[in-house]
Amino acid sequence: MFARVTSIQIDPAKLPEMRAAMPAVGEHLKRIPGIVECKTCWDETGKGLVFAIYASKTHADNSADTIRSVWGGLMAYLSAPPSVSSGTEVIDLLQ
């Protein structure tokens, strides 16, 4: 497994638009081979995180163009570029 965690800062005035965009984003993400899970959360200031879990780093790397395209469609709602970190140790704490 491989994880990417992305920090985001949504323009607080555009939170409703970002929320409304999420179903379409989900449809794009569902078509990515090897994506296992993807969750996002943010607070009332627009500070948030995206957690994406992939079957492998190769799957994550192969999805790069699609992910860039998805972020490209969301940039109008962000007040800063997203910041990405990653990890190879993925432990499901609920299993």
Side-chain angles (χ1 to χ4, degrees):
M1 295 261 233
F2 183 79
R4 284 211 171 111
V5 179
T6 304
S7 299
I8 57 173
Q9 180 59 58
I10 306 164
D11 178 340
K14 296 182 179 178
L15 290 172
E17 292 95 327
M18 181 64 125
R19 189 176 305 107
M22 291 298 98
V25 167
E27 290 305 312
H28 286 290
L29 296 177
K30 289 175 188 176
R31 295 191 293 264
I32 295 175
I35 195 162
V36 175
E37 190 72 46
C38 190
K39 304 283 187 191
T40 188
C41 63
W42 58 76
D43 65 18
E44 66 280 352
T45 70
K47 182 178 180 180
L49 296 167
V50 179
F51 304 92
I53 308 296
Y54 297 86
S56 69
K57 184 176 185 309
T58 300
H59 284 100
D61 291 346
N62 289 344
S63 74
D65 288 340
T66 302
I67 297 300
R68 273 192 289 278
S69 174
V70 169
W71 278 116
L74 297 173
M75 290 307 293
Y77 310 126
L78 301 180
S79 58
S83 172
V84 180
S85 60
S86 61
T88 56
E89 289 293 322
V90 178
I91 301 167
D92 188 341
L93 298 174
L94 299 179
Q95 285 191 350

